[in-house]
Amino acid sequence: MIDTPYLLFLGDAPDGLAAKVAQGIKDWRPENCAGQFRMEGCKADMKLPDMSLTEAKEAGAKTLVIGVANRGGVISKAWKQVLLEALDEGYDIASGLHNLLRNEPDLAAKAKELGRTLHDVRIPVVQYPIANGEKRTGKRVLAVGTDCSVGKMYTALALDRDMRKAGMKSTFRATGQTGILITGEGVPLDAVIADFMAGSIEWLTPDNDADHWDIIEGQGSLFHVSYSGVTLALIHGGQPDALILCHEPTRDHMRGLPGYKLPSLEAVRDMSLTLAQVGNPDCKVVGISINTQHMSDAEATAYLAEVEARVGLPAVDPYRHGAERLVEALAAL
Amino acid sequence: MIDTPYLLFLGDAPDGLAAKVAQGIKDWRPENCAGQFRMEGCKADMKLPDMSLTEAKEAGAKTLVIGVANRGGVISKAWKQVLLEALDEGYDIASGLHNLLRNEPDLAAKAKELGRTLHDVRIPVVQYPIANGEKRTGKRVLAVGTDCSVGKMYTALALDRDMRKAGMKSTFRATGQTGILITGEGVPLDAVIADFMAGSIEWLTPDNDADHWDIIEGQGSLFHVSYSGVTLALIHGGQPDALILCHEPTRDHMRGLPGYKLPSLEAVRDMSLTLAQVGNPDCKVVGISINTQHMSDAEATAYLAEVEARVGLPAVDPYRHGAERLVEALAAL
């Protein structure tokens, strides 16, 4: 569990895209953000108050979260100076970078000396069990995609937001680094040992109130040959009662796999449901989430209508239009 | 490499299945087995001479191989005493358990003091790549099962043996600790980090001669909720040209999952083939391997005939009757 509120470290981000972790935190948990820390030349802006380490500390910030990707996988000297000062100021530091904070000797030494915590959310900190497949109380919904990076995390976060708005009980369950930094906890599934993948998801989504929903962040795709095993572990460990299909319509091949076409929504629906029903025979596919960010308003509206008519399920872009219709479909289960 | 011959440690195995590591070594490399070591209450029997540590040492044994697997892989106090004595007696120890010999302080200290080697074959020794899905030369066959422990490794080892007998080029590719202990190399897939599972299988089965077959050892089952992700990584990383369906007909629920019925062979055929064709559109299901160990000769013959007629594919027990008909089906591709 990462202490909040955060001071978001944007470093010397060359553009907004480089700070997409910070953007995710700001978009979905603004209440966790005391402010942003930007270095000279930073081109990203979360529209949060710019604060020094001292100012943010006085405003209550507890953890400096690295919200920006580092260039070349190296923690630069300029960054390092800020991170060391943050430890001196009393902050913990949280990071999803590939190269770990704990492997930087100066950071590790100072954190140990001062009793601060370095959260490397890329690395599991729990000894997960092997999945036992036992039926759990409460309800679960999982987003499954035609491909990687089609909007599964945003779909889950929008569902969580709109379920709470509708007065329903829900918890977003993060399974990736950005999701973990947004919520402060979760399972970094892509770094879990193969045998414990499904068990880690059982651990993440335990028994709960009968009317509580776990909104499980999806990963990969059953049709993405690099990561499909991770997706199936989510389906079987998550034991979902409901699936949401996720798709990005403008892509011409699977992410990172030239020559691999995206599967149809129908293929993802049939394959995911058949596999999900192994663990939960009552599982249903309840809706479709389309990432229309590369479409105009008119294109998006027309595409959503076409998909909805063809597949026979509510089809929305939850980020653009809200997830209310998906929430209604879940509430009706 | 692990020094032979072995003394097979069966511990207090609750049943024969729990000692499948020892059984595999005994069945496929009997010349490497000096004898077996059983503790009180052991229900497994390899039909090898029962020996004390001292007796086996006098008979030439060099390595004590832990031939029994517990769920989750725990080294009990009772086992520990035997392992410490084995180091004193001059043995190396080899293990595929989840928890490592090297992480047991008393074993590590004694091995170091005495100059013995602790072989933890479960640990990957390679930094595997992320799968790229590119088409590779040569041919590959993968065994997929209705359940765990239905005979996928045996099927692969029998195929390898009988393909060589038929003058074909083949290599058994081990993906589990037993296979690695038998052949001395392979990928301990269940211990690989999630993101690199499929890539490890691409690495294991690289480009080869056009007429060479990699016989890939299967793991788990698409229908076993604890391990299905591992199975799918094999299907997508292995890029098989051919699948063999494996089944054990006398089981009344999935191994370790009371309440989960086994899927039909037809369900495994359809699901596996659809997923395999994502990575290799030309993949075909060519035969069925039935583990008839709990059936009489008459029962086995009748069952095989019934399955063959029903599914329309050659159905054999390769361990009982040989894998020749499966080899013919592969050669005909």
Side-chain angles (χ1 to χ4, degrees):
Chain A
M1 199 67 199
I2 303 168
D3 283 342
T4 56
Y6 300 155
L7 175 61
L8 299 185
F9 176 76
L10 307 187
D12 44 6
D15 53 35
L17 207 57
K20 66 176 185 174
V21 170
Q23 191 71 54
I25 298 170
K26 157 61 173 25
D27 285 344
W28 296 105
R29 291 293 184 275
E31 68 274 23
N32 286 349
C33 303
Q36 64 185 9
F37 182 100
R38 300 196 291 171
M39 291 165 55
E40 194 170 316
C42 180
K43 299 287 199 304
D45 183 3
M46 298 303 119
K47 314 294 187 192
L48 289 166
D50 282 298
M51 293 182 173
S52 69
L53 293 169
T54 309
E55 288 166 348
K57 196 73 195 150
E58 286 167 1
K62 295 194 166 61
T63 302
L64 184 74
V65 174
I66 298 185
V68 54
N70 53 336
R71 296 177 212 193
V74 174
I75 296 179
S76 68
K77 278 187 184 174
W79 281 28
K80 181 66 71 64
Q81 190 181 329
V82 177
L83 303 187
L84 288 167
E85 286 173 18
L87 293 172
D88 278 325
E89 290 269 2
Y91 288 88
D92 292 339
I93 307 178
S95 160
L97 300 179
H98 278 282
N99 52 335
L100 306 183
L101 299 174
R102 71 185 68 170
N103 289 344
E104 300 286 324
D106 44 1
L107 289 179
K110 191 177 277 288
K112 186 175 180 186
E113 172 198 339
L114 299 173
R116 315 286 183 243
T117 302
L118 301 177
H119 298 278
D120 286 304
V121 304
R122 194 159 287 277
I123 301 301
V125 292
V126 171
Q127 179 97 9
Y128 302 115
I130 285 177
N132 63 30
E134 287 173 19
K135 181 71 181 162
R136 308 194 288 291
T137 55
K139 291 176 179 298
R140 286 155 200 90
V141 55
L142 172 68
V144 292
T146 52
D147 194 1
C148 300
S149 308
V150 293
K152 292 183 293 290
M153 185 187 76
Y154 270 59
T155 299
L157 285 160
L159 271 176
D160 179 47
R161 175 195 64 201
D162 292 345
M163 288 180 102
R164 286 164 189 249
K165 269 193 211 160
M168 297 166 71
K169 298 182 197 167
S170 83
T171 308
F172 170 75
R173 299 297 191 182
T175 63
Q177 282 76 25
T178 305
I180 294 170
L181 288 171
I182 288 173
T183 61
E185 59 187 341
V187 167
L189 184 58
D190 62 7
V192 171
I193 297 286
D195 247 7
F196 303 96
M197 294 187 298
S200 76
I201 303 305
E202 289 189 348
W203 175 90
L204 182 68
T205 61
D207 281 328
N208 214 317
D209 296 345
D211 59 346
H212 176 276
W213 283 90
D214 274 333
I215 321 292
I216 308 171
E217 181 190 355
Q219 298 290 340
S221 166
L222 289 173
F223 292 82
H224 194 297
V225 296
S226 308
Y227 308 115
S228 53
V230 178
T231 308
L232 187 49
L234 272 163
I235 290 174
H236 281 163
Q239 210 174 79
D241 301 276
L243 298 171
I244 306 279
L245 310 179
C246 296
H247 183 52
E248 202 281 80
T250 68
R251 213 168 274 186
D252 62 1
H253 63 76
M254 297 290 280
R255 187 165 168 81
L257 300 175
Y260 281 79
K261 295 283 178 208
L262 270 71
S264 67
L265 281 163
E266 289 86 342
V268 175
R269 173 195 64 194
D270 295 345
M271 180 65 69
S272 304
L273 186 61
T274 304
L275 286 165
Q277 288 180 338
V278 171
N280 184 350
D282 297 328
C283 184
K284 294 193 166 44
V285 180
V286 300
I288 300 170
S289 171
I290 302 292
N291 177 346
T292 65
Q293 67 176 323
H294 299 303
M295 297 173 134
S296 69
D297 282 346
E299 284 169 342
T301 304
Y303 185 83
L304 289 167
E306 185 270 315
V307 165
E308 182 155 334
R310 193 181 82 223
V311 186
L313 290 168
V316 303
D317 182 334
Y319 190 63
R320 196 165 187 162
H321 305 123
E324 289 82 358
R325 294 186 60 224
L326 300 178
V327 171
E328 285 164 21
L330 290 169
L333 269 192
Chain B
M1 284 305 300
I2 302 167
D3 283 342
T4 57
Y6 301 154
L7 175 62
L8 300 183
F9 176 75
L10 307 188
D12 43 7
D15 55 33
L17 261 183
K20 71 173 186 172
V21 171
Q23 191 73 53
I25 298 168
K26 192 268 180 168
D27 287 342
W28 297 102
R29 295 291 186 278
E31 68 273 22
N32 287 348
C33 303
Q36 64 184 10
F37 183 99
R38 301 195 292 171
M39 292 165 56
E40 194 169 317
C42 180
K43 300 287 199 305
D45 184 1
M46 298 303 117
K47 314 292 187 194
L48 289 166
D50 282 298
M51 291 182 174
S52 69
L53 293 169
T54 309
E55 288 166 347
K57 196 72 194 152
E58 286 168 1
K62 294 192 167 59
T63 303
L64 184 73
V65 174
I66 298 184
V68 53
N70 287 355
R71 206 169 152 87
V74 172
I75 296 178
S76 69
K77 279 188 184 171
W79 286 24
K80 180 65 73 61
Q81 193 183 329
V82 177
L83 303 187
L84 288 168
E85 288 173 17
L87 293 172
D88 280 325
E89 291 270 0
Y91 289 87
D92 292 340
I93 307 178
S95 160
L97 297 180
H98 281 277
N99 58 331
L100 307 183
L101 300 174
R102 71 186 70 169
N103 288 346
E104 300 287 323
D106 43 1
L107 289 181
K110 192 177 278 286
K112 187 173 178 187
E113 174 200 337
L114 300 173
R116 315 285 183 244
T117 302
L118 302 177
H119 298 279
D120 286 304
V121 303
R122 176 165 295 273
I123 295 305
V125 291
V126 171
Q127 181 98 8
Y128 302 115
I130 285 178
N132 63 29
E134 288 172 17
K135 182 70 182 164
R136 307 194 290 290
T137 54
K139 292 178 179 297
R140 286 156 200 87
V141 55
L142 172 67
V144 292
T146 52
D147 194 1
C148 300
S149 309
V150 292
K152 292 183 292 293
M153 185 188 75
Y154 274 58
T155 299
L157 284 161
L159 271 175
D160 179 47
R161 176 194 65 202
D162 292 345
M163 287 180 102
R164 286 163 187 252
K165 269 192 211 161
M168 298 167 70
K169 298 181 196 167
S170 83
T171 308
F172 170 76
R173 299 297 192 182
T175 64
Q177 62 267 29
T178 308
I180 294 170
L181 285 168
I182 290 173
T183 64
E185 60 185 346
V187 167
L189 183 58
D190 60 9
V192 172
I193 298 285
D195 250 5
F196 303 97
M197 293 187 299
S200 75
I201 303 305
E202 290 189 347
W203 174 90
L204 182 67
T205 61
D207 281 328
N208 214 317
D209 297 344
D211 59 346
H212 177 275
W213 283 90
D214 274 333
I215 320 293
I216 308 172
E217 181 190 354
Q219 296 291 337
S221 166
L222 289 173
F223 293 81
H224 194 295
V225 297
S226 308
Y227 309 115
S228 53
V230 178
T231 308
L232 187 49
L234 271 164
I235 290 174
H236 281 161
Q239 211 174 79
D241 302 275
L243 298 172
I244 306 278
L245 309 179
C246 297
H247 182 53
E248 201 281 81
T250 68
R251 216 169 273 187
D252 61 0
H253 63 76
M254 297 290 280
R255 184 160 170 82
L257 300 175
Y260 282 79
K261 296 283 177 204
L262 271 70
S264 67
L265 281 163
E266 288 86 344
V268 175
R269 174 194 65 195
D270 295 345
M271 180 65 67
S272 305
L273 187 61
T274 304
L275 286 165
Q277 288 181 339
V278 171
N280 183 351
D282 297 327
C283 183
K284 294 194 166 42
V285 179
V286 300
I288 300 170
S289 171
I290 302 291
N291 177 346
T292 65
Q293 66 176 321
H294 299 303
M295 298 172 133
S296 69
D297 282 345
E299 284 169 342
T301 303
Y303 185 82
L304 289 167
E306 186 270 315
V307 165
E308 182 155 333
R310 193 180 83 224
V311 186
L313 290 168
V316 303
D317 182 334
Y319 188 63
R320 196 165 187 162
H321 305 124
E324 290 82 358
R325 294 186 60 221
L326 300 178
V327 171
E328 286 165 21
L330 290 169
L333 269 192

